[in-house]
Coordinates of all heavy atoms in Angstrom, one line a residue:
M1 N -20.4 3.5 2.6 CA -19.3 2.6 2.4 C -18.0 3.3 2.6 O -17.8 4.3 2.1 CB -19.4 2.0 1.0 CG -18.4 1.0 0.7 SD -19.0 0.2 -0.9 CE -17.4 -0.3 -1.5
Q2 N -17.1 2.6 3.4 CA -15.8 3.2 3.7 C -14.7 2.7 2.7 O -14.8 1.6 2.2 CB -15.4 2.8 5.1 CG -16.3 3.5 6.2 CD -15.8 3.1 7.5 OE1 -15.6 1.9 7.8 NE2 -15.6 4.0 8.4
C3 N -13.7 3.6 2.5 CA -12.5 3.2 1.7 C -11.6 2.4 2.7 O -11.7 2.5 3.9 CB -11.8 4.4 1.2 SG -12.7 5.3 0.0
I4 N -10.7 1.7 2.2 CA -9.8 0.9 3.0 C -9.0 1.8 4.0 O -8.8 1.4 5.1 CB -8.9 -0.1 2.2 CG1 -8.2 -1.1 3.1 CG2 -7.9 0.7 1.3 CD1 -7.6 -2.3 2.3
W5 N -8.6 2.9 3.5 CA -7.8 3.8 4.4 C -8.6 4.3 5.5 O -8.2 4.6 6.6 CB -7.1 4.9 3.6 CG -8.0 5.9 2.9 CD1 -8.4 5.8 1.6 CD2 -8.6 7.0 3.5 NE1 -9.3 6.9 1.4 CE2 -9.4 7.6 2.5 CE3 -8.6 7.6 4.7 CZ2 -10.2 8.8 2.7 CZ3 -9.3 8.8 5.0 CH2 -10.1 9.4 3.9
Q6 N -9.9 4.5 5.3 CA -10.8 4.9 6.4 C -11.0 3.8 7.4 O -11.1 4.1 8.6 CB -12.2 5.3 5.8 CG -12.2 6.6 4.9 CD -13.4 6.8 4.2 OE1 -14.0 5.9 3.6 NE2 -13.9 8.0 4.2
L7 N -11.0 2.6 6.9 CA -11.1 1.5 7.9 C -9.8 1.4 8.7 O -9.9 1.1 9.9 CB -11.3 0.1 7.1 CG -12.7 0.0 6.5 CD1 -12.7 -1.2 5.6 CD2 -13.8 -0.1 7.5
V8 N -8.7 1.6 8.1 CA -7.4 1.6 8.9 C -7.4 2.7 9.9 O -7.1 2.5 11.1 CB -6.2 1.8 7.9 CG1 -4.9 2.1 8.7 CG2 -6.0 0.6 7.0
E9 N -7.9 3.9 9.5 CA -8.0 5.0 10.5 C -8.9 4.7 11.7 O -8.6 4.9 12.8 CB -8.6 6.3 9.8 CG -7.6 7.0 9.0 CD -6.9 8.1 9.8 OE1 -6.6 7.9 11.0 OE2 -6.6 9.1 9.2
Q10 N -10.0 4.0 11.3 CA -11.0 3.7 12.4 C -10.4 2.6 13.3 O -10.5 2.8 14.5 CB -12.3 3.1 11.7 CG -13.4 2.7 12.7 CD -14.6 2.2 12.0 OE1 -14.7 2.3 10.8 NE2 -15.5 1.6 12.8
R11 N -9.8 1.6 12.8 CA -9.2 0.6 13.6 C -8.1 1.1 14.5 O -7.9 0.8 15.6 CB -8.7 -0.6 12.8 CG -9.8 -1.4 12.1 CD -10.6 -2.2 13.1 NE -11.6 -3.0 12.5 CZ -12.9 -2.6 12.2 NH1 -13.3 -1.5 12.7 NH2 -13.7 -3.4 11.6
A12 N -7.3 2.0 13.9 CA -6.1 2.6 14.6 C -6.6 3.5 15.8 O -6.0 3.5 16.8 CB -5.3 3.4 13.7
A13 N -7.8 4.1 15.6 CA -8.3 4.9 16.6 C -9.0 4.1 17.7 O -8.8 4.4 18.9 CB -9.4 5.9 16.0
E14 N -9.7 3.0 17.3 CA -10.4 2.1 18.3 C -9.4 1.2 19.0 O -9.6 0.9 20.2 CB -11.4 1.3 17.5 CG -12.5 2.1 17.0 CD -13.5 1.3 16.1 OE1 -13.1 0.1 15.8 OE2 -14.5 1.8 15.6
R15 N -8.5 0.6 18.3 CA -7.6 -0.5 18.8 C -6.2 -0.3 18.3 O -5.7 -1.2 17.6 CB -8.2 -1.8 18.4 CG -9.6 -2.0 18.9 CD -10.3 -3.3 18.4 NE -9.4 -4.4 18.3 CZ -9.6 -5.5 17.5 NH1 -10.6 -5.5 16.7 NH2 -8.7 -6.5 17.4
P16 N -5.5 0.7 18.7 CA -4.1 1.0 18.1 C -3.1 -0.1 18.4 O -2.2 -0.3 17.7 CB -3.7 2.3 18.7 CG -4.6 2.4 20.0 CD -5.9 1.7 19.7
D17 N -3.3 -0.8 19.5 CA -2.4 -1.9 19.9 C -2.7 -3.3 19.4 O -2.0 -4.2 19.6 CB -2.2 -1.9 21.4 CG -1.5 -0.6 21.9 OD1 -0.7 0.0 21.2 OD2 -1.9 -0.2 23.1
A18 N -3.9 -3.4 18.7 CA -4.3 -4.7 18.2 C -3.4 -5.0 17.0 O -3.0 -4.2 16.2 CB -5.8 -4.6 17.8
T19 N -3.2 -6.3 16.8 CA -2.3 -6.8 15.7 C -3.1 -6.7 14.4 O -4.2 -7.2 14.3 CB -1.9 -8.2 16.0 OG1 -1.1 -8.3 17.2 CG2 -1.1 -8.8 14.8
F20 N -2.4 -6.0 13.5 CA -2.9 -5.9 12.1 C -2.4 -7.1 11.3 O -3.2 -7.8 10.6 CB -2.5 -4.6 11.4 CG -2.8 -4.6 9.9 CD1 -4.1 -4.5 9.5 CD2 -1.7 -4.8 9.0 CE1 -4.3 -4.5 8.1 CE2 -2.0 -4.8 7.7 CZ -3.3 -4.6 7.2
L21 N -1.1 -7.4 11.4 CA -0.5 -8.6 10.7 C 0.7 -9.0 11.4 O 1.4 -8.3 12.1 CB -0.3 -8.3 9.3 CG 0.9 -7.4 8.8 CD1 2.2 -8.2 8.7 CD2 0.6 -6.8 7.5
A22 N 1.0 -10.3 11.2 CA 2.2 -10.9 11.7 C 2.9 -11.5 10.5 O 2.3 -12.2 9.7 CB 2.0 -12.0 12.8
F23 N 4.2 -11.2 10.3 CA 4.9 -11.7 9.1 C 6.3 -12.0 9.6 O 7.1 -11.2 10.1 CB 5.0 -10.6 8.1 CG 5.8 -11.0 6.8 CD1 5.1 -11.7 5.9 CD2 7.1 -10.6 6.6 CE1 5.8 -12.1 4.7 CE2 7.8 -10.9 5.5 CZ 7.1 -11.7 4.5
Q24 N 6.7 -13.3 9.5 CA 7.9 -13.8 10.0 C 8.1 -13.4 11.4 O 7.3 -13.8 12.2 CB 9.1 -13.4 9.0 CG 8.9 -14.0 7.7 CD 9.9 -13.4 6.7 OE1 10.7 -12.5 6.9 NE2 10.0 -14.0 5.5
E25 N 9.1 -12.7 11.8 CA 9.4 -12.3 13.2 C 8.7 -10.9 13.5 O 8.9 -10.4 14.6 CB 10.9 -12.2 13.4 CG 11.6 -13.5 13.1 CD 11.2 -14.6 14.1 OE1 11.0 -14.4 15.3 OE2 11.0 -15.8 13.6
Q26 N 8.0 -10.4 12.6 CA 7.5 -9.0 12.7 C 6.0 -9.0 13.0 O 5.2 -9.7 12.4 CB 7.8 -8.3 11.4 CG 7.6 -6.9 11.3 CD 7.9 -6.3 10.0 OE1 7.5 -5.2 9.7 NE2 8.7 -7.0 9.1
T27 N 5.6 -8.1 13.9 CA 4.2 -7.9 14.2 C 3.9 -6.4 14.0 O 4.7 -5.6 14.5 CB 3.8 -8.3 15.6 OG1 4.1 -9.7 15.8 CG2 2.3 -8.1 15.9
I28 N 2.9 -6.1 13.3 CA 2.5 -4.7 13.1 C 1.1 -4.4 13.6 O 0.2 -5.1 13.3 CB 2.5 -4.3 11.6 CG1 3.9 -4.5 11.0 CG2 2.1 -2.9 11.3 CD1 4.1 -4.3 9.5
T29 N 1.0 -3.4 14.5 CA -0.3 -3.1 15.1 C -1.0 -2.1 14.2 O -0.4 -1.5 13.3 CB -0.1 -2.4 16.5 OG1 0.6 -1.2 16.3 CG2 0.6 -3.4 17.4
Y30 N -2.3 -1.9 14.4 CA -3.0 -0.9 13.6 C -2.4 0.5 13.8 O -2.4 1.3 12.8 CB -4.5 -0.9 14.0 CG -5.3 -2.0 13.4 CD1 -5.5 -3.2 14.2 CD2 -5.7 -2.0 12.1 CE1 -6.2 -4.2 13.6 CE2 -6.4 -3.0 11.6 CZ -6.7 -4.2 12.3 OH -7.4 -5.2 11.8
G31 N -2.0 0.8 15.0 CA -1.4 2.1 15.3 C -0.1 2.3 14.5 O 0.1 3.4 13.8
T32 N 0.7 1.3 14.5 CA 2.0 1.4 13.7 C 1.7 1.4 12.2 O 2.3 2.2 11.5 CB 2.9 0.1 14.1 OG1 3.2 0.2 15.5 CG2 4.1 0.2 13.3
L33 N 0.7 0.6 11.8 CA 0.4 0.6 10.4 C 0.0 2.0 9.9 O 0.4 2.5 8.9 CB -0.8 -0.4 10.1 CG -1.3 -0.4 8.7 CD1 -0.3 -0.9 7.7 CD2 -2.6 -1.2 8.6
R34 N -0.9 2.6 10.7 CA -1.4 4.0 10.4 C -0.2 4.9 10.2 O -0.1 5.7 9.3 CB -2.3 4.5 11.4 CG -2.9 5.9 11.1 CD -3.8 6.3 12.2 NE -4.3 7.7 11.9 CZ -3.6 8.8 12.2 NH1 -2.4 8.7 12.8 NH2 -4.1 10.0 11.9
L35 N 0.7 4.9 11.2 CA 1.9 5.8 11.1 C 2.8 5.5 9.9 O 3.2 6.5 9.2 CB 2.7 5.7 12.4 CG 2.1 6.2 13.7 CD1 2.9 5.9 14.9 CD2 1.8 7.7 13.5
R36 N 3.0 4.3 9.6 CA 3.8 3.9 8.5 C 3.2 4.3 7.2 O 3.8 4.8 6.2 CB 4.2 2.4 8.5 CG 5.2 2.0 9.6 CD 5.5 0.6 9.6 NE 6.1 0.1 8.3 CZ 6.4 -1.1 8.1 NH1 6.1 -2.1 8.9 NH2 7.0 -1.4 6.9
V37 N 1.9 4.1 7.1 CA 1.1 4.5 5.9 C 1.1 6.0 5.7 O 1.4 6.5 4.6 CB -0.3 3.9 5.9 CG1 -1.2 4.5 4.8 CG2 -0.3 2.4 5.8
M38 N 0.9 6.8 6.8 CA 0.9 8.2 6.7 C 2.3 8.7 6.3 O 2.4 9.7 5.5 CB 0.5 8.8 8.0 CG -1.0 8.6 8.3 SD -1.5 9.3 9.9 CE -1.0 11.0 9.7
D39 N 3.4 8.1 6.8 CA 4.7 8.5 6.5 C 5.0 8.3 5.0 O 5.5 9.1 4.3 CB 5.8 7.8 7.3 CG 5.8 8.3 8.8 OD1 5.2 9.4 9.1 OD2 6.4 7.6 9.6
A40 N 4.6 7.1 4.5 CA 4.9 6.7 3.1 C 4.0 7.6 2.2 O 4.5 8.1 1.2 CB 4.5 5.3 2.9
A41 N 2.8 7.9 2.6 CA 1.9 8.8 1.8 C 2.5 10.2 1.7 O 2.5 10.8 0.6 CB 0.5 8.9 2.4
A42 N 3.1 10.7 2.8 CA 3.7 12.0 2.8 C 4.9 12.0 1.8 O 5.1 13.0 1.0 CB 4.2 12.4 4.2
V43 N 5.7 11.0 1.8 CA 6.9 10.9 0.9 C 6.4 10.9 -0.5 O 7.0 11.6 -1.4 CB 7.8 9.7 1.2 CG1 8.8 9.5 0.2 CG2 8.4 9.9 2.6
L44 N 5.4 10.0 -0.8 CA 4.9 9.9 -2.2 C 4.3 11.2 -2.7 O 4.6 11.7 -3.8 CB 3.8 8.8 -2.2 CG 4.3 7.4 -2.0 CD1 3.2 6.4 -1.8 CD2 5.2 6.9 -3.2
A45 N 3.6 11.9 -1.8 CA 3.0 13.2 -2.2 C 4.1 14.3 -2.4 O 4.0 15.1 -3.4 CB 2.0 13.7 -1.1
A46 N 5.1 14.2 -1.6 CA 6.2 15.2 -1.8 C 7.0 14.9 -3.1 O 7.6 15.9 -3.6 CB 7.2 15.0 -0.6
R47 N 6.9 13.7 -3.6 CA 7.6 13.4 -4.8 C 6.6 13.7 -6.0 O 7.0 13.3 -7.2 CB 8.0 12.0 -4.8 CG 9.2 11.8 -3.9 CD 9.8 10.4 -4.0 NE 11.0 10.3 -3.2 CZ 12.2 10.2 -3.7 NH1 12.4 10.2 -4.9 NH2 13.2 10.2 -2.8
G48 N 5.5 14.2 -5.8 CA 4.6 14.7 -6.8 C 3.5 13.7 -7.2 O 2.7 14.0 -8.2
I49 N 3.3 12.6 -6.5 CA 2.2 11.7 -6.8 C 0.9 12.4 -6.2 O 0.8 12.8 -5.1 CB 2.4 10.4 -6.1 CG1 3.6 9.7 -6.8 CG2 1.2 9.5 -6.3 CD1 4.1 8.4 -6.2
E50 N -0.1 12.4 -7.1 CA -1.4 13.1 -6.8 C -2.6 12.2 -7.0 O -2.4 11.1 -7.6 CB -1.5 14.3 -7.8 CG -0.5 15.3 -7.7 CD -0.6 16.5 -8.7 OE1 -1.4 16.3 -9.7 OE2 0.0 17.5 -8.5
P51 N -3.7 12.5 -6.5 CA -4.9 11.7 -6.7 C -5.2 11.5 -8.2 O -5.0 12.4 -9.0 CB -6.0 12.6 -6.1 CG -5.3 13.4 -5.0 CD -4.0 13.7 -5.6
G52 N -5.5 10.2 -8.5 CA -5.7 9.8 -9.8 C -4.5 9.3 -10.6 O -4.7 8.7 -11.6
D53 N -3.3 9.6 -10.1 CA -2.1 9.1 -10.8 C -2.1 7.5 -10.7 O -2.5 7.0 -9.7 CB -0.8 9.6 -10.1 CG -0.5 11.0 -10.4 OD1 -1.2 11.6 -11.3 OD2 0.4 11.6 -9.7
R54 N -1.7 6.9 -11.8 CA -1.6 5.4 -11.8 C -0.1 5.1 -11.5 O 0.8 5.5 -12.2 CB -2.0 4.9 -13.1 CG -3.5 5.0 -13.4 CD -3.9 4.4 -14.7 NE -3.2 5.1 -15.8 CZ -3.9 5.9 -16.7 NH1 -5.2 6.0 -16.6 NH2 -3.2 6.5 -17.6
I55 N 0.1 4.3 -10.4 CA 1.4 4.0 -10.0 C 1.6 2.5 -10.0 O 0.8 1.7 -9.4 CB 1.7 4.5 -8.5 CG1 1.3 6.0 -8.4 CG2 3.1 4.1 -8.1 CD1 2.2 6.9 -9.3
A56 N 2.6 2.0 -10.8 CA 2.9 0.6 -10.9 C 3.6 0.2 -9.6 O 4.5 0.9 -9.1 CB 3.8 0.3 -12.1
L57 N 3.2 -1.0 -9.1 CA 3.8 -1.5 -7.8 C 4.1 -2.9 -8.1 O 3.3 -3.8 -8.3 CB 2.7 -1.4 -6.7 CG 3.2 -1.6 -5.3 CD1 4.3 -0.6 -4.9 CD2 2.0 -1.4 -4.3
M58 N 5.4 -3.2 -8.0 CA 5.9 -4.6 -8.2 C 6.8 -4.9 -7.0 O 8.0 -4.5 -7.0 CB 6.7 -4.6 -9.5 CG 7.2 -6.0 -9.9 SD 8.1 -5.8 -11.5 CE 8.1 -7.5 -12.0
M59 N 6.2 -5.6 -6.1 CA 7.0 -5.9 -4.8 C 6.7 -7.4 -4.4 O 5.6 -7.9 -4.7 CB 6.5 -5.0 -3.7 CG 6.8 -3.5 -4.0 SD 6.2 -2.5 -2.7 CE 7.3 -2.8 -1.4
N60 N 7.6 -8.0 -3.7 CA 7.5 -9.3 -3.1 C 6.4 -9.2 -2.0 O 6.0 -8.1 -1.6 CB 8.8 -9.8 -2.5 CG 9.8 -10.2 -3.5 OD1 9.4 -10.7 -4.5 ND2 11.0 -9.9 -3.2
S61 N 6.0 -10.4 -1.6 CA 5.0 -10.5 -0.4 C 5.8 -10.0 0.8 O 6.7 -10.7 1.3 CB 4.5 -11.9 -0.3 OG 3.7 -12.3 -1.4
H62 N 5.4 -8.9 1.3 CA 6.1 -8.3 2.5 C 5.2 -7.2 3.1 O 4.4 -6.6 2.3 CB 7.4 -7.7 2.0 CG 8.3 -7.3 3.2 ND1 8.2 -6.1 3.7 CD2 9.3 -8.0 3.8 CE1 9.1 -6.0 4.7 NE2 9.8 -7.1 4.8
P63 N 5.3 -6.9 4.4 CA 4.5 -5.9 4.9 C 4.7 -4.5 4.2 O 3.7 -3.7 4.1 CB 5.0 -5.8 6.4 CG 5.4 -7.2 6.7 CD 6.0 -7.7 5.4
D64 N 5.9 -4.3 3.7 CA 6.1 -3.0 3.0 C 5.2 -2.9 1.8 O 4.8 -1.7 1.4 CB 7.6 -2.9 2.5 CG 8.5 -2.7 3.7 OD1 8.0 -2.3 4.8 OD2 9.7 -2.9 3.5
H65 N 4.8 -4.0 1.1 CA 3.9 -4.0 0.0 C 2.6 -3.4 0.4 O 1.9 -2.6 -0.2 CB 3.8 -5.4 -0.6 CG 3.0 -5.4 -1.9 ND1 3.2 -6.4 -2.8 CD2 2.1 -4.6 -2.4 CE1 2.4 -6.2 -3.8 NE2 1.7 -5.2 -3.6
I66 N 2.1 -3.9 1.6 CA 0.8 -3.5 2.1 C 0.9 -2.0 2.4 O -0.1 -1.2 2.1 CB 0.4 -4.3 3.3 CG1 0.2 -5.7 2.9 CG2 -0.8 -3.7 4.0 CD1 0.1 -6.7 4.1
V67 N 1.9 -1.6 3.1 CA 2.1 -0.1 3.4 C 2.1 0.7 2.2 O 1.4 1.8 2.1 CB 3.4 0.1 4.2 CG1 3.7 1.6 4.4 CG2 3.3 -0.6 5.6
M68 N 2.8 0.3 1.1 CA 2.8 1.1 -0.1 C 1.4 1.2 -0.8 O 1.0 2.2 -1.2 CB 3.8 0.6 -1.1 CG 5.3 0.9 -0.7 SD 5.6 2.6 -0.4 CE 5.4 3.2 -2.1
Y69 N 0.8 0.0 -0.8 CA -0.6 -0.1 -1.4 C -1.5 0.9 -0.7 O -2.3 1.6 -1.3 CB -1.1 -1.5 -1.3 CG -2.5 -1.7 -1.8 CD1 -2.7 -1.8 -3.2 CD2 -3.5 -1.7 -1.0 CE1 -4.0 -2.0 -3.6 CE2 -4.8 -1.9 -1.4 CZ -5.1 -2.0 -2.8 OH -6.4 -2.2 -3.2
L70 N -1.5 0.8 0.7 CA -2.4 1.7 1.4 C -2.0 3.1 1.3 O -2.9 4.0 1.3 CB -2.4 1.2 2.9 CG -3.0 -0.1 3.2 CD1 -2.8 -0.5 4.6 CD2 -4.5 -0.1 2.8
A71 N -0.7 3.4 1.3 CA -0.3 4.8 1.2 C -0.7 5.4 -0.2 O -1.2 6.6 -0.2 CB 1.3 4.9 1.3
L72 N -0.6 4.7 -1.2 CA -1.1 5.2 -2.5 C -2.6 5.4 -2.5 O -3.1 6.5 -3.0 CB -0.7 4.2 -3.6 CG 0.8 4.2 -4.0 CD1 1.1 2.9 -4.8 CD2 1.2 5.4 -4.7
G73 N -3.4 4.5 -1.9 CA -4.8 4.7 -1.7 C -5.1 5.9 -0.8 O -6.1 6.7 -1.1
W74 N -4.3 6.1 0.2 CA -4.5 7.2 1.1 C -4.5 8.6 0.4 O -5.2 9.5 0.8 CB -3.3 7.2 2.2 CG -3.6 7.9 3.5 CD1 -3.6 9.2 3.7 CD2 -3.9 7.2 4.7 NE1 -3.8 9.5 5.0 CE2 -4.0 8.3 5.7 CE3 -4.1 5.9 5.1 CZ2 -4.3 8.0 7.0 CZ3 -4.3 5.7 6.4 CH2 -4.5 6.7 7.4
I75 N -3.6 8.7 -0.6 CA -3.5 10.0 -1.3 C -4.4 10.0 -2.6 O -4.4 11.0 -3.3 CB -2.0 10.4 -1.6 CG1 -1.4 9.3 -2.5 CG2 -1.3 10.6 -0.3 CD1 0.1 9.7 -2.9
G76 N -5.1 8.9 -2.8 CA -6.0 8.9 -3.9 C -5.4 8.4 -5.3 O -6.0 8.5 -6.3
A77 N -4.2 7.9 -5.2 CA -3.5 7.3 -6.4 C -4.1 5.9 -6.7 O -4.7 5.3 -5.8 CB -2.0 7.2 -6.2
V78 N -4.0 5.5 -7.9 CA -4.4 4.2 -8.3 C -3.2 3.2 -8.4 O -2.3 3.5 -9.1 CB -5.1 4.3 -9.7 CG1 -5.6 2.9 -10.2 CG2 -6.3 5.2 -9.6
T79 N -3.3 2.1 -7.7 CA -2.2 1.1 -7.7 C -2.4 0.2 -8.9 O -3.5 -0.4 -9.0 CB -2.2 0.4 -6.4 OG1 -2.1 1.3 -5.3 CG2 -1.0 -0.6 -6.4
V80 N -1.4 0.0 -9.7 CA -1.4 -1.0 -10.7 C -0.4 -2.1 -10.3 O 0.8 -1.9 -10.2 CB -0.9 -0.4 -12.1 CG1 -0.9 -1.5 -13.1 CG2 -1.8 0.8 -12.5
E81 N -1.0 -3.2 -9.8 CA -0.2 -4.3 -9.3 C 0.5 -5.1 -10.5 O -0.2 -5.4 -11.4 CB -1.0 -5.3 -8.5 CG -1.6 -4.7 -7.2 CD -0.5 -4.5 -6.1 OE1 0.6 -5.1 -6.2 OE2 -0.8 -3.8 -5.2
I82 N 1.8 -5.3 -10.4 CA 2.5 -6.0 -11.4 C 3.1 -7.2 -10.7 O 3.9 -7.0 -9.8 CB 3.5 -5.1 -12.1 CG1 2.8 -4.0 -12.8 CG2 4.3 -6.0 -13.1 CD1 3.7 -3.0 -13.5
S83 N 2.9 -8.4 -11.2 CA 3.4 -9.6 -10.6 C 4.9 -9.7 -10.8 O 5.5 -9.3 -11.8 CB 2.8 -10.8 -11.3 OG 3.5 -12.0 -10.9
I84 N 5.6 -10.1 -9.7 CA 7.0 -10.2 -9.8 C 7.4 -11.4 -10.6 O 8.6 -11.6 -10.9 CB 7.6 -10.4 -8.4 CG1 7.1 -11.6 -7.7 CG2 7.4 -9.1 -7.5 CD1 7.8 -12.0 -6.4
H85 N 6.4 -12.2 -11.0 CA 6.7 -13.4 -11.8 C 6.6 -13.2 -13.3 O 7.0 -14.1 -14.1 CB 5.7 -14.6 -11.4 CG 5.8 -14.9 -9.9 ND1 6.9 -15.5 -9.4 CD2 5.0 -14.6 -8.9 CE1 6.7 -15.6 -8.1 NE2 5.5 -15.1 -7.8
L86 N 6.2 -12.0 -13.7 CA 6.2 -11.7 -15.1 C 7.6 -11.6 -15.7 O 8.5 -11.1 -15.1 CB 5.4 -10.4 -15.4 CG 3.9 -10.4 -15.2 CD1 3.3 -9.0 -15.3 CD2 3.2 -11.4 -16.1
K87 N 7.7 -11.9 -17.0 CA 8.9 -11.7 -17.7 C 8.8 -10.4 -18.4 O 7.8 -9.7 -18.4 CB 9.1 -12.9 -18.7 CG 9.2 -14.2 -18.1 CD 10.4 -14.4 -17.2 CE 10.4 -15.8 -16.7 NZ 11.0 -15.9 -15.4
R88 N 9.9 -10.0 -19.1 CA 10.0 -8.7 -19.7 C 8.8 -8.4 -20.6 O 8.2 -7.3 -20.5 CB 11.3 -8.6 -20.6 CG 11.4 -7.4 -21.4 CD 12.6 -7.4 -22.2 NE 13.7 -6.9 -21.4 CZ 15.0 -6.8 -21.8 NH1 15.3 -7.2 -23.0 NH2 15.9 -6.3 -21.0
A89 N 8.4 -9.3 -21.5 CA 7.3 -9.0 -22.4 C 6.0 -8.8 -21.7 O 5.2 -7.9 -22.0 CB 7.1 -10.1 -23.4
G90 N 5.7 -9.5 -20.6 CA 4.5 -9.4 -19.8 C 4.5 -8.1 -19.1 O 3.5 -7.4 -19.0
I91 N 5.7 -7.7 -18.5 CA 5.8 -6.4 -17.8 C 5.6 -5.3 -18.8 O 4.8 -4.3 -18.6 CB 7.1 -6.3 -17.1 CG1 7.3 -7.3 -16.0 CG2 7.3 -4.9 -16.6 CD1 8.6 -7.4 -15.4
A92 N 6.2 -5.3 -20.0 CA 6.0 -4.3 -21.0 C 4.6 -4.1 -21.4 O 4.1 -3.0 -21.6 CB 6.9 -4.6 -22.2
L93 N 3.9 -5.3 -21.6 CA 2.5 -5.2 -22.0 C 1.7 -4.6 -21.0 O 0.8 -3.7 -21.3 CB 2.0 -6.6 -22.3 CG 0.5 -6.7 -22.7 CD1 0.3 -6.0 -24.0 CD2 0.1 -8.2 -22.8
Q94 N 1.9 -4.9 -19.7 CA 1.1 -4.4 -18.7 C 1.3 -2.9 -18.5 O 0.4 -2.1 -18.3 CB 1.3 -5.1 -17.3 CG 0.3 -4.7 -16.3 CD 0.3 -5.7 -15.1 OE1 1.1 -6.6 -15.0 NE2 -0.6 -5.4 -14.2
L95 N 2.6 -2.5 -18.6 CA 2.9 -1.1 -18.5 C 2.4 -0.2 -19.6 O 1.9 0.9 -19.4 CB 4.4 -0.9 -18.4 CG 5.1 -1.4 -17.1 CD1 6.6 -1.2 -17.2 CD2 4.6 -0.7 -15.9
E96 N 2.4 -0.8 -20.8 CA 1.9 -0.1 -22.0 C 0.3 0.0 -21.9 O -0.2 1.0 -22.2 CB 2.2 -0.9 -23.2 CG 1.7 -0.3 -24.5 CD 2.1 -1.1 -25.7 OE1 3.2 -1.6 -25.8 OE2 1.2 -1.3 -26.6
D97 N -0.3 -1.0 -21.4 CA -1.7 -1.1 -21.3 C -2.3 -0.1 -20.2 O -3.3 0.5 -20.4 CB -2.2 -2.5 -21.0 CG -3.7 -2.7 -21.2 OD1 -4.2 -2.2 -22.2 OD2 -4.3 -3.3 -20.3
C98 N -1.6 0.0 -19.1 CA -2.1 0.8 -18.0 C -1.6 2.2 -17.9 O -2.1 3.0 -17.2 CB -1.9 0.1 -16.6 SG -0.2 0.1 -16.1
A99 N -0.5 2.5 -18.6 CA 0.1 3.8 -18.7 C 0.3 4.4 -17.3 O -0.2 5.5 -17.0 CB -0.7 4.7 -19.5
P100 N 1.1 3.7 -16.4 CA 1.4 4.3 -15.1 C 2.3 5.5 -15.2 O 3.0 5.7 -16.1 CB 2.0 3.2 -14.3 CG 2.7 2.4 -15.4 CD 1.9 2.5 -16.6

């Protein structure tokens, strides 16, 4: 069984120019996705994020959300998704519960 980052690697190697996603006026290929994810993972690792770290991620629906999610998985961190629709008490409860 492959991890999602392994599937991205495989698709980028097999079909780098194939479309991964289209969002508004933007199209991202598998090759571009791989590069963006690797760049983001390098920045996160340089900032001290390590495998097993729980990282809260609260972002709108946007390709950058996917890149960050994949980058965290790439380095072995655990993504804790927090809805942008939560109010202060809901955010506090989720942060307290998951200890990112």
Side-chain angles (χ1 to χ4, degrees):
M1 186 166 150
Q2 292 180 312
C3 294
I4 193 165
W5 63 266
Q6 292 170 316
L7 292 171
V8 170
E9 281 272 35
Q10 181 180 348
R11 293 291 183 263
E14 295 171 352
R15 302 171 38 201
D17 295 327
T19 299
F20 169 73
L21 72 85
F23 180 81
Q24 296 173 350
E25 303 294 320
Q26 189 177 164
T27 300
I28 299 176
T29 65
Y30 282 98
T32 300
L33 174 69
R34 181 182 178 277
L35 292 175
R36 288 181 62 186
V37 169
M38 289 177 58
D39 287 347
V43 169
L44 293 167
R47 292 189 173 246
I49 296 174
E50 299 178 344
D53 286 352
R54 291 182 298 250
I55 307 300
L57 191 59
M58 184 179 197
M59 298 177 73
N60 286 324
S61 295
H62 190 274
D64 290 343
H65 188 156
I66 296 168
V67 169
M68 288 302 296
Y69 177 83
L70 292 172
L72 288 165
W74 201 282
I75 59 178
V78 178
T79 303
V80 178
E81 294 284 346
I82 299 178
S83 172
I84 62 169
H85 303 291
L86 287 175
K87 302 293 183 213
R88 175 183 274 177
I91 294 170
L93 177 64
Q94 193 167 3
L95 291 175
E96 182 182 314
D97 194 44
C98 71

